[in-house]
């Protein structure tokens, strides 16, 4: 679906996105105000609005106020006729949702994902799941304007391929081209943490903030960078691989094969390791039959019940995350750090220690006071973020 377009068509698409975005931000809004805000001519706005009304992307509503003369008809995004599919492909499961153009979830589904997959099995499973959710929703396929996918691992967002998905050991998976051919709906693919970051930027704790970093701590650790209001991807797609920044070059072996990455000392996996190393871990170990059942969530529960060992271990993870985040702050100087993933659920136990380390170690007074907050979208961050990939395309017209 990547077609060559002329510069005239590109201008039309850019203008159309300007009008749509103005409606999204200021709805309900009149044609005259759109023209003023976008600096497009009233005739151009009228034409674009006409097209958008016919496509049912927007709707006319009540009349606005006027100083004399006819009251203008106000326009808003039509949340009843166009839909988006968002998909969060994690390490162990696929989460899918259908939302309207305001990212409100109207249908949701979680599916298991086997670790034993090759490229073609993986792609056909995702395709089948998409076809199923469309069928179950009884929506007309024409009403679905795009599919956004947040995929774990290294992703080439431009081509829509998964370059490397560590959990399945898959390499060069052509997600976008395969699904677009099979499903005939435009597909946008992004790394899961970057999708999550975009979601926080549009709908969560990052709304209206120009420079911020989302740090996601689950089984692994990732980050997404919003720089000047836009996602920063780097020159070869790996910007934000925060979990594989070096913290102890004489340390433990990481899942990536290198030594001493942040992930080895601060991820959900490290948390479980710490429990096994502690002598006073009896309260935590009483909750499980074997060490395989240890999870971050269980350790948070024990901390909440006042177990000193669990509290100490969470603070230890918070300490290392604080060191990593201090480096991020000195490097990028964001306005705030948004923390998501399992560790964010541990709230104060981890975040307080992170804040303390940043306060003691960042370079300047302003940097030491960088705000560190929890994600607002929480468990749905990547799913909403995946939907936002489509919205970002519709409203900002990233047409090549
Ligand atoms: Zn690593």
């Amino acid at each position: 679906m990547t077609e060559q377009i002329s510069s005239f068509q590109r201008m039309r698409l850019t203008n159309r996105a300007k009008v749509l975005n103005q409606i999204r931000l200021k709805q309900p809004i009149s044609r005259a105000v759109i023209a003023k805000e976008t600096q497009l001519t009233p005739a151009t706005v009228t034409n674009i609005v006409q097209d958008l009304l016919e496509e049912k992307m927007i709707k006319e509503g009540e009349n606005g106020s006027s100083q004399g003369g006819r009251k203008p008809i106000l326009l808003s995004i039509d949340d009843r006729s166009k839909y988006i599919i968002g998909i969060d492909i994690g390490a162990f499961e696929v989460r899918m949702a259908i939302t309207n153009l305001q990212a409100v979830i109207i249908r949701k589904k979680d599916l298991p994902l086997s670790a034993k997959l090759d490229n073609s099995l993986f792609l056909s499973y995702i395709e089948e799941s998409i076809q199923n959710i469309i069928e179950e929703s009884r929506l007309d396929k024409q009403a679905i304007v795009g599919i956004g996918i947040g995929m774990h691992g290294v992703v080439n967002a431009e081509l829509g391929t998964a370059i490397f998905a560590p959990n399945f050991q898959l390499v060069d998976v052509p997600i976008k081209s395969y699904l677009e051919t099979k499903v005939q709906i435009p597909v946008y693919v992004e790394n899961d943490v970057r999708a999550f970051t975009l979601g926080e930027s549009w709908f969560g704790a990052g709304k209206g903030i120009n420079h911020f970093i989302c740090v996601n701590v689950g089984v692994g650790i990732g980050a997404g960078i919003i720089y000047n209001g836009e996602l920063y991807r780097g020159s070869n797609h790996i910007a934000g691989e925060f979990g594989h920044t070096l913290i102890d070059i004489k340390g433990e072996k990481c899942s990536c094969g290198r030594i001493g990455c942040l992930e080895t000392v601060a991820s959900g996996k490290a948390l479980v390791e710490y429990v096994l190393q502690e002598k006073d871990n009896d309260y935590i170990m009483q909750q499980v039959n074997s060490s395989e059942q240890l999870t971050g969530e269980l350790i948070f529960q024990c901390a909440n019940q006042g177990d000193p060992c669990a509290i100490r271990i969470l603070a230890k993870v918070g300490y290392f995350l604080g060191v990593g985040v201090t480096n991020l702050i000195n490097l990028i100087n964001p306005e705030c750090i948004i923390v998501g993933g399992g560790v964010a659920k541990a709230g104060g136990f981890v975040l307080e220690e992170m804040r303390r380390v940043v306060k003691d170690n960042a370079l300047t007074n302003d940097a030491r006071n960088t705000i560190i907050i929890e994600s607002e979208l929480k468990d749905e961050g990547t799913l909403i973020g995946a939907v936002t990939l489509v919205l970002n395309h519709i409203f900002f017209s990233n047409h090549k």
Side-chain angles (χ1 to χ4, degrees):
M1 294 206 176
T2 325
E3 70 268 31
Q4 291 296 320
I5 58 171
S6 71
S7 58
F8 173 71
Q9 281 169 311
R10 187 176 300 132
M11 192 181 70
R12 270 188 68 101
L13 287 167
T14 306
N15 289 344
R16 175 192 147 100
K18 273 187 196 166
V19 170
L20 254 179
N21 202 37
Q22 205 51 231
I23 298 172
R24 175 181 79 87
L25 293 171
K26 309 246 171 80
Q27 57 188 330
I29 184 172
S30 71
R31 289 168 175 81
V33 177
I34 297 172
K36 198 174 140 211
E37 296 285 331
T38 57
Q39 298 186 323
L40 296 170
T41 66
T44 304
V45 171
T46 302
N47 283 337
I48 293 171
V49 162
Q50 194 50 41
D51 286 350
L52 292 171
L53 282 169
E54 277 166 22
E55 289 171 40
K56 295 199 166 115
M57 293 290 286
I58 60 172
K59 62 186 177 191
E60 289 184 318
E62 74 273 37
N63 290 357
S65 58
S66 89
Q67 289 104 25
R70 200 154 54 95
K71 286 181 178 168
I73 298 164
L74 298 184
L75 303 162
S76 52
I77 300 294
D78 192 338
D79 48 20
R80 307 158 307 183
S81 52
K82 296 285 174 194
Y83 299 91
I84 293 168
I85 295 179
I87 308 176
D88 166 9
I89 305 179
F92 308 107
E93 65 170 0
V94 178
R95 305 178 70 203
M96 283 194 174
I98 299 183
T99 74
N100 65 18
L101 288 183
Q102 319 251 37
V104 175
I105 294 174
I106 56 166
R107 188 174 197 95
K108 213 169 101 173
K109 205 173 173 183
D110 293 348
L111 301 159
L113 200 50
S114 149
K116 291 196 182 82
L117 288 167
D118 59 22
N119 285 9
S120 75
L121 278 173
F122 170 77
L123 288 169
S124 58
Y125 181 66
I126 300 295
E127 184 220 332
E128 207 176 288
S129 311
I130 292 171
Q131 305 281 20
N132 286 344
I133 201 170
I134 296 175
E135 217 164 277
E136 288 156 16
S137 72
R138 299 188 176 187
L139 287 171
D140 178 3
K141 206 161 126 184
Q142 305 298 321
I144 296 164
V145 290
I147 298 171
I149 299 177
M151 172 77 190
H152 80 274
V154 183
V155 168
N156 178 336
E158 216 167 296
L159 296 177
T161 54
I163 296 174
F164 177 53
N167 266 74
F168 317 135
Q169 293 292 314
L170 298 184
V171 176
D172 294 328
V173 194
I175 302 178
K176 180 182 168 76
S177 62
Y178 178 89
L179 291 177
E180 284 187 343
T181 309
K182 294 280 183 184
V183 190
Q184 295 290 312
I185 296 173
V187 174
Y188 308 94
V189 189
E190 183 55 276
N191 161 269
D192 56 352
V193 183
R194 286 209 284 264
F196 167 63
T197 306
L198 197 64
E200 285 289 333
S201 165
W202 277 55
F203 300 106
K207 251 194 287 186
I209 304 177
N210 269 332
H211 300 285
F212 74 85
I213 300 175
C214 266
V215 172
N216 193 72
V217 189
V219 181
I221 301 174
I225 302 161
I226 293 283
Y227 181 79
N228 257 343
E230 284 185 29
L231 265 185
Y232 179 73
R233 296 194 173 92
S235 62
N236 295 103
H237 323 289
I238 66 158
E241 288 292 347
F242 182 41
H244 302 288
T245 52
L246 289 176
I247 195 161
D248 179 5
I249 53 170
K250 290 187 176 145
E252 299 294 320
K253 191 164 183 184
C254 179
S255 60
C256 72
R258 289 154 194 90
I259 302 288
C261 299
L262 181 63
E263 231 171 76
T264 62
V265 290
S267 63
K269 227 162 148 184
L271 204 57
V272 170
E273 283 296 316
Y274 291 151
V275 174
L276 301 175
Q277 289 163 11
E278 293 293 325
K279 285 197 181 74
D280 58 345
N281 64 6
D282 357 352
Y283 184 77
I284 303 173
M285 295 310 286
Q286 276 163 21
Q287 321 294 320
V288 293
N289 295 324
S290 74
S291 58
E292 275 90 59
Q293 293 172 335
L294 284 171
T295 61
E297 201 138 355
L298 179 96
I299 299 164
F300 307 149
Q301 277 167 20
C302 293
N304 268 325
Q305 286 151 11
D307 176 49
C309 177
I311 294 172
R312 204 171 56 243
I313 287 170
L314 290 175
K316 190 169 172 180
V317 164
Y319 169 80
F320 285 119
L321 284 174
V323 172
V325 162
T326 303
N327 291 337
L328 278 185
I329 290 171
N330 287 346
L331 198 64
I332 312 267
N333 189 200
E335 289 169 59
C336 91
I337 302 277
I338 299 172
V339 185
V343 156
K345 288 184 197 152
F349 294 115
V350 175
L351 261 63
E352 279 310 311
E353 184 63 11
M354 283 174 76
R355 291 185 186 114
R356 191 191 63 76
V357 174
V358 169
K359 229 176 184 66
D360 288 350
N361 296 287
L363 199 57
T364 60
N365 198 35
D366 284 339
R368 286 191 285 273
N369 288 313
T370 305
I371 300 162
I372 300 176
I373 45 171
E374 282 171 48
S375 131
E376 265 179 34
L377 301 178
K378 298 200 162 62
D379 285 349
E380 269 161 15
T382 303
L383 204 52
I384 296 296
V387 169
T388 314
L389 296 173
V390 181
L391 291 172
N392 199 39
H393 184 83
I394 296 173
F395 289 95
F396 287 105
S397 170
N398 305 316
H399 299 277
K400 295 268 161 0

